[in-house]
């Protein structure tokens, strides 16, 4: 192999240095380091102008694709065109897109283990400890409900069906491993250099990468994208880091969490509480103040009261934990939580097997050397302010994803932003990421999909008298025979009377809310009006069709409860 | 002349208490008019009868979607094991229990329709209608009692009923149709479904799904009026999930065997060979005939199409007689869908008695076929788009995808497929969307709106996805058929 490569280079008229590992003193040591840096255990291991190309086959592939010639010609002051810090949804999308555009790209990704010791592979929050495992656990809970419904639809079995947490977690973790692997593969296919190392700026255009063994390498690039995302926040009270878990730990937990206290009222808190209860666990949510802050509060109220009344989740409102104590070790153990009222001197305590903190997330921006190159962050929340092309105050440094100030913390947004950024930086496009009317869905037991403004925000922006709010309860057909409750699924749109009754807010609470909402988001992108809604024929029998027949406005104040059918 | 005209009882008389008729009647009553509805269900050849509400409620969308749901739940029970639920497999299914639950729900809807008519002061007659003259209709009740009604305006909304084959021995005696299947007290057992329309495939789909041995016999093309690539994926999925397909076959005889089972003989039209098998039930789903035969239309002067027997209408839904209208499945050239009939009925009442002059727009009507893998579509099929605009002016974006929930459940997603048919010239207006996968109905509804708002391909691509859903795959359709790139799933 080595000879072939040598021949290739000499045919190109390029000189190369060869280090024969079996002829130097510390050959084995060099090989080990090489494999750390490059993830390649075999030789020959070829570098061109400091860039790792690969083995013999990859060198010939690079020759065929023209990459090799490009690398040889490159006389750039920097090793890379782009270094992306953070291998989550946004970072990977940006890196791959830049590579497609022919650029030399490196991605640094390193998961600092959670205080409980949980860590994971490439792909970031969404794949490992976010959207993917949460939707799968949500699905597990929905299937529990389906089992319950199925008897009403004629399926016959008598046994009490139990849920096995380990089986579920194994299946989900297997899927995640395949996704991690897929990301590795797609980086390799696109010739993006991947380092499983922690990246820190050390000087302008230069980053230090530290791997798990503490080995350091330095790399330079013309441009940088910061996409480090966020990690769950801790309370800062006695016992929290020792005994509590977060969403970083829950999805790979080796044992069923048992009786669980979820602290927080974010969508993460409600989603976790929802599926844990759906799997049959005793779940309490401790809420300091507002449920689903930033979302439409009427929807939040309906969603949480469904969880409380129909789904068996207990809510402790206006309390915050002040201490967590371990009573018994075990899997799970037993914890005592002391909480105090936010409104008075009252304290309460409770005993739980697991305490899950979901009180918010902190940006991973404070320990990556940003101060060394002068990138400004918002000192309060650690977020990075950027302009409308995701550029920080340092012109060659960009930021995308959850660490952006004032932007939605959503995977598809980060992906979109990452791709478009790469195209603007290295392609001919000038398209900017559009952060308006981004749809999203909260996967609580009753799913909540929305796009556009909440009613509160709409009133704030347009004033109440200029709005018309249409709404209705609906009863999914499948729920009738299943004997599930009426008047909990709810549809609402907010229209701007001053602009042809344009739909500026869309909200749906019910099964498959995510699937329903997506198309409506497209319609809102096309400036949907109420009239167009009315003119569109429904698909019968679905839940989505309710939006084509909304007649009752809030201002009329008519009854929207459904009677019978 | 004015003097000899009979006393007109009603401002509006609606013949047919289905989705369209009831919507029209209620809307007219809401506008302050005196309205009557005549509805009568002629028992099916097997003697099945039902209450107020028409096909959709009684023998269509509603019971069909509920039985589809029963079948889906069967799949979920199998999935549940992978997600940690310890349920012993296989789980048996009781038709009797399901049917009773479905029928009870339908009966509650019948009751609800009655109450709604009463609330809106619409007079309801459970009578069979036939025209006496262009303003007068005779109604005959079950007991033979006659009522004569007259009205300024008459709306015919009698819908259609399943067709029986006329040339096949034993078809009428031993076969059933969708009029009967939902009302069976006992399981249909091993079933032969004859037909290739959506009714045939949906019925075969849920019968298979609840564990029955099901065969579909198709003369030529399944889902003829739909996009043919989608159609073949629909049947491919069904075939891989246990539905047996006999293609290019036509039945020639149905015989009852001494033990009560049915022996069906058919001809394989490609080989010319004859074959037989024994079934418990034979379900004809070979099309529907409009209910115009018993209306005595010649007395009213209303003209029908000699081919389809459907009533000829103009864009105002008026028949050849200006004050007589026809809406829904009975009207020539209309999509046979509940929501279009409802909307047409409401708009008609608004035009007749309100200030509105809005016409029903039959373009871009979305629909969903509730086969085991659901198929939702809106706008043009690929074939239609090419026929209208020419191959070189059409760009089709497509992708296979794997629903997240399928991964852990170890389900095969080979047929989960989406395609968006666009004009090729910028801004690449979207002409049609076709979605095959779970919850296709829910996915399609919003996109139907997008298409109504004139969505372009670029606008769809600029819309941020909702993660993780199936519908987000629509806003990620990057590969055009023309590019020849591989549209299959790539890992994640």
């Amino acid at each position: 192999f080595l000879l072939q490569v040598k021949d290739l280079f000499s045919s190109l008229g390029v000189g190369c240095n060869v280090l024969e590992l079996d002829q130097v003193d510390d050959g084995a040591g060099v090989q080990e380091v090489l494999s750390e840096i490059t993830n390649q255990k075999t030789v020959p291991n070829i570098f061109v102008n400091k860039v790792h190309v690969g083995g013999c086959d990859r060198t010939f592939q690079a020759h065929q694709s023209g990459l090799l010639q490009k690398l040889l010609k490159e006389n750039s002051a920097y090793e890379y065109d782009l270094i992306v810090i953070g291998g989550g949804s946004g970072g990977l999308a940006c890196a791959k897109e830049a590579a497609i555009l022919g650029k030399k790209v490196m991605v640094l990704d390193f998961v600092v283990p959670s205080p409980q010791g949980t860590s994971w592979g490439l792909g970031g929050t969404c794949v490992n400890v976010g959207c993917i495992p949460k939707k799968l656990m949500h699905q597990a809970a929905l299937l529990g409900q389906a089992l319950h419904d199925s008897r009403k639809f004629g399926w016959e079995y008598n046994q009490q069906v139990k849920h096995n947490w380990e089986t579920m977690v194994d299946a989900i973790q297997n899927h995640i491993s395949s996704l991690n692997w897929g990301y590795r593969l797609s980086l390799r296919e696109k010739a993006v250099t991947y380092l499983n190392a922690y990246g820190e700026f050390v000087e302008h255009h230069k980053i230090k990468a530290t791997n798990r063994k503490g080995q350091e390498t330095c790399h330079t690039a013309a441009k940088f994208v910061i996409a480090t995302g966020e990690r769950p926040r801790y309370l800062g009270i006695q016992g929290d880091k020792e005994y509590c878990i977060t969403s970083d730990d829950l999805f790979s937990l080796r044992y069923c969490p048992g009786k669980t206290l979820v602290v927080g009222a974010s969508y993460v808190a409600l989603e976790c509480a929802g599926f844990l209860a759906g799997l049959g666990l005793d779940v309490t949510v401790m809420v300091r103040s507002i449920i689903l802050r930033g979302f439409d509060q009427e929807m939040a109220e309906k969603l949480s009261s469904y969880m409380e009344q129909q789904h068996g989740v207990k809510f402790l409102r206006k309390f915050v934990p002040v201490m967590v104590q371990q009573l018994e070790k075990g899997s799970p153990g037993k914890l005592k939580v002391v909480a105090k009222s936010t409104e008075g001197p009252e304290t309460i305590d409770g005993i739980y097997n697991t305490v899950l903190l979901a009180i918010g997330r902190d940006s991973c921006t404070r320990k990556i050397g940003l101060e060394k190159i002068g990138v400004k962050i918002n000192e309060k929340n650690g977020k990075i302010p950027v302009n409308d092309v995701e550029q920080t105050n340092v012109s060659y440094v960009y930021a995308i994803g959850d660490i952006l100030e004032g932007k939605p913390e959503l995977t598809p947004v980060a992906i979109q932003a990452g791709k478009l950024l790469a195209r603007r930086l290295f392609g001919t496009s000038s398209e900017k990421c559009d952060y308006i009317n981004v749809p999203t869905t909260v996967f609580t037991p009753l799913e909540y999909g929305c796009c556009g403004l909440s009613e509160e925000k709409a009133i704030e922006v347009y004033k109440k008298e200029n709005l018309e709010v249409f709404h209705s309860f609906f009863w999914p057909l499948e729920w009738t025979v299943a004997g599930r409750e009426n008047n909990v699924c709810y549809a609402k749109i907010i229209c701007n009377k001053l602009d042809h009754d344009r739909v500026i807010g869309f909200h749906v609470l019910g099964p498959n809310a995510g699937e329903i909402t997506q198309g409506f988001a497209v319609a809102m992108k096309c400036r949907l009006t109420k009239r167009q809604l009315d003119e569109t024929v429904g698909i019968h029998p679905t839940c989505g069709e309710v939006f084509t027949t909304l007649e009752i406005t809030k201002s009329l104040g008519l009854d929207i409860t459904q009677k019978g059918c | 002349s004015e003097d000899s005209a009979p006393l007109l009882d009603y401002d509006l008389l609606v013949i047919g208490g289905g989705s369209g008729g009831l919507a029209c009647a209620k809307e007219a009553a809401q506008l302050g008019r005196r309205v009557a509805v005549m509805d009568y269900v002629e028992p099916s050849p097997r003697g099945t009868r039902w209450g107020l509400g028409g096909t959709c409620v009684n023998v269509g969308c509603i019971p069909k979607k509920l039985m589809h749901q029963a079948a889906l739940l069967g799949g979920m029970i199998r999935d549940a094991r992978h997600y940690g639920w310890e349920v012993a497999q296989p789980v048996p299914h009781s038709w009797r229990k399901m049917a009773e639950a479905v029928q009870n729900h339908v009966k509650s809807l019948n009751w609800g329709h009655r109450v709604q008519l009463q609330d809106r002061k619409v007079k309801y007659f459970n009578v069979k209608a036939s025209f006496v003259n262009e303003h007068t209709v005779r109604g005959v009740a079950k007991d033979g009692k006659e009522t004569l009604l007259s009205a300024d305006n008459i709306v015919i909304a009698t819908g259609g009923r399943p067709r029986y084959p006329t040339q096949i021995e034993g078809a009428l005696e031993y076969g059933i149709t969708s009029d009967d299947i939902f009302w069976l007290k006992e399981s249909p057992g091993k079933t032969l479904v004859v037909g290739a329309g959506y009714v045939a495939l949906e019925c075969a789909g849920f019968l298979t799904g609840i564990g029955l041995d099901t065969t579909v016999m198709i003369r030529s093309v399944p889902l003829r009026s739909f996009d043919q690539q989608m159609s073949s994926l629909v049947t491919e999925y069904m075939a891989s999930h246990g539905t047996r397909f006999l293609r290019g076959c036509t039945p020639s005889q149905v015989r009852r065997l001494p033990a009560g089972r049915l022996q069906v003989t058919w001809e394989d039209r490609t080989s010319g060979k004859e074959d037989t098998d024994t079934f418990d039930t034979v379900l004809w789903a070979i099309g529907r005939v409009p209910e115009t035969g018993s209306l005595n239309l010649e007395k009213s002067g209303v003209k029908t199409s000699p081919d389809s027997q459907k009533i000829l209408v103009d864009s105002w839904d008026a028949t050849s007689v200006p004050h007589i209208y026809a809406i829904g499945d009975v009207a020539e050239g209309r999509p046979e869908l509940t929501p279009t009939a409802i909307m047409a009925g409401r708009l008609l009442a608004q035009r007749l008695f309100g200030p509105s002059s809005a016409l029903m727009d039959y373009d871009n009507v979305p629909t969903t076929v509730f086969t085991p893998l659901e198929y939702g579509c809106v706008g043009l099929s690929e074939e239609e788009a090419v026929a209208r605009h020419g191959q070189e002016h059409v760009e089709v974006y497509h992708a296979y995808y794997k629903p997240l929930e399928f991964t852990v459940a170890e389900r095969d997603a080979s047929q989960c497929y989406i395609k968006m048919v666009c004009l090729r010239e910028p801004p690449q207006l979207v002409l049609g969307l076709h979605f095959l996968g779970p919850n296709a109905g829910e996915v399609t509804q919003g996109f139907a709106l997008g298409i109504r708002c004139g969505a372009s391909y670029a606008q769809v691509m600029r819309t941020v996805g909702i993660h993780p859903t199936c519908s987000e795959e629509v806003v990620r359709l990057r590969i055009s058929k023309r590019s020849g790139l591989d549209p299959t799933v790539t890992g994640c």
Side-chain angles (χ1 to χ4, degrees), chain A residues 22 62 77 142 175 210 225-226 245 256 277 288 307 327 344 375 386 389 395 409 467 496-497 526 528 538 553-554:
Chain A
D22 50 356
L142 290 182
H175 177 61
T210 312
V225 169
I226 307 169
I245 65 166
C256 178
R288 189 189 56 185
M307 286 178 70
L327 301 180
V375 172
V386 291
V389 288
S395 65
E409 296 179 11
L467 300 176
N496 178 4
K497 285 198 276 192
C526 303
L528 173 69
T553 63
K554 278 198 172 173

Side-chain angles (χ1 to χ4, degrees), chain B residues 13-17 36-42 124-133 135-142 145-150 154-159 291-300 311 324 330:
Chain B
L13 168 61
V14 177
I15 307 174
V37 171
M38 295 169 125
D39 185 60
Y40 187 83
V41 180
E42 190 71 43
Y124 164 65
F125 297 92
N126 185 200
V127 296
K128 191 172 163 70
S130 61
F131 278 93
V132 175
N133 60 46
H135 278 290
T136 315
V137 179
R138 171 185 293 117
V140 182
K142 217 174 355 176
K145 234 172 85 182
E146 290 194 7
T147 323
L148 271 186
L149 299 183
S150 53
I154 298 174
V155 172
I156 305 172
T158 46
E291 278 275 89
T292 48
S294 61
L295 286 172
N296 239 352
L297 285 180
E298 55 287 356
K299 290 274 172 58
S300 67
I311 296 173
I324 302 179
V330 80

Side-chain angles (χ1 to χ4, degrees), chain A residues 135 140 143 153-156 159 162-164 175 179 412 439 478 512 515 518-520 536-539 541 543-544 551 565, chain B residues 65 70 83-86 88 92-94 109 339 346 366 405 407 439 442 445-446 449 452 464-466 468 470-471 492:
Chain A
K135 180 101 192 273
L143 288 172
F153 280 86
W155 296 97
E156 294 187 309
Q159 83 265 31
K162 285 207 195 85
H163 186 262
N164 184 320
H175 177 61
L179 294 179
E478 294 74 12
N512 299 305
E515 305 297 356
Q518 185 71 72
F520 285 91
T536 302
V537 176
I539 299 178
C543 294
E551 281 183 328
C565 44
Chain B
K65 179 112 193 262
Y83 282 88
W85 295 100
E86 297 179 330
H93 184 262
S94 156
L109 295 180
R346 290 182 60 183
E405 293 74 11
T407 57
N439 300 303
E442 305 297 358
Q445 184 70 72
L449 266 164
R452 173 154 292 271
V464 175
I466 300 178
C470 294
S471 55
C492 42

Side-chain angles (χ1 to χ4, degrees), chain A residues 14 89 124 133 194 199 215 254 275 310 314 336 348 405 414 417 465 473 491 493 502 559:
Chain A
V14 178
S89 316
Y194 163 64
Q215 292 156 329
R254 299 318 307 167
F275 67 68
Q310 269 90 25
K314 287 169 281 219
K336 180 178 163 186
I348 51 171
E405 173 101 66
E465 61 270 25
F473 283 112
I493 57 164
R502 201 163 310 285
D559 184 20

Side-chain angles (χ1 to χ4, degrees), chain B residues 52-259:
Chain B
L52 183 62
T55 301
C56 166
V57 170
N58 294 284
V59 290
C61 327
I62 300 296
K64 159 289 274 304
K65 179 112 193 262
L66 288 171
M67 293 198 178
H68 170 63
Q69 175 71 3
L72 290 183
L73 286 167
M76 291 184 222
I77 292 172
R78 288 189 295 278
D79 285 359
R81 202 164 35 99
H82 296 278
Y83 282 88
W85 295 100
E86 297 179 330
V87 51
Q89 317 270 350
V91 175
H93 184 262
S94 156
W95 174 278
R96 186 186 268 274
K97 248 191 206 164
M98 171 189 71
E100 197 185 314
V102 170
Q103 289 158 17
N104 280 341
H105 178 65
V106 169
K107 284 175 192 159
S108 80
L109 295 180
N110 296 146
W111 174 250
H113 281 302
R114 288 286 287 272
V115 171
Q116 280 181 18
L117 288 186
Q118 218 157 15
D119 285 352
R120 307 226 176 159
K121 304 206 163 42
V122 174
K123 184 78 180 144
Y124 164 65
F125 297 92
N126 185 200
V127 296
K128 191 172 163 70
S130 61
F131 278 93
V132 175
N133 60 46
E134 60 175 31
H135 278 290
T136 315
V137 179
R138 171 185 293 117
V140 182
K142 217 174 355 176
D143 59 7
K145 234 172 85 182
E146 290 194 7
T147 323
L148 271 186
L149 299 183
S150 53
D152 288 336
N153 301 284
I154 298 174
V155 172
I156 305 172
T158 46
R161 297 289 290 268
R163 183 194 305 276
Y164 269 91
T166 49
Q167 307 294 328
I168 299 168
E169 191 193 322
L172 190 65
E173 294 90 317
Y174 306 124
I176 65 166
T177 68
S178 59
D179 276 359
D180 309 298
I181 184 88
F182 305 111
W183 294 90
L184 294 181
K185 296 258 183 286
E186 300 298 335
S187 168
K190 181 181 173 186
T191 303
L192 174 68
V193 179
V194 183
Y198 76 88
V199 178
L201 296 186
E202 288 177 340
C203 290
F206 71 70
L207 292 174
T208 308
I210 58 171
L212 300 181
D213 181 338
T214 310
T215 304
V216 183
M217 188 177 291
I218 294 179
R219 193 188 49 193
S220 58
V221 181
L223 296 179
R224 182 184 295 279
S225 57
F226 291 86
D227 186 286
Q228 284 304 296
Q229 183 192 7
M230 303 307 287
S231 155
S232 54
L233 287 168
V234 166
T235 52
E236 192 180 297
Y237 180 90
M238 288 177 70
S240 70
H241 285 72
T243 308
R244 184 160 70 118
F245 281 88
L246 291 170
R247 292 186 181 251
C249 295
T250 47
S252 50
Q253 191 194 47
V254 182
R255 272 193 334 128
R256 189 199 280 274
L257 299 176

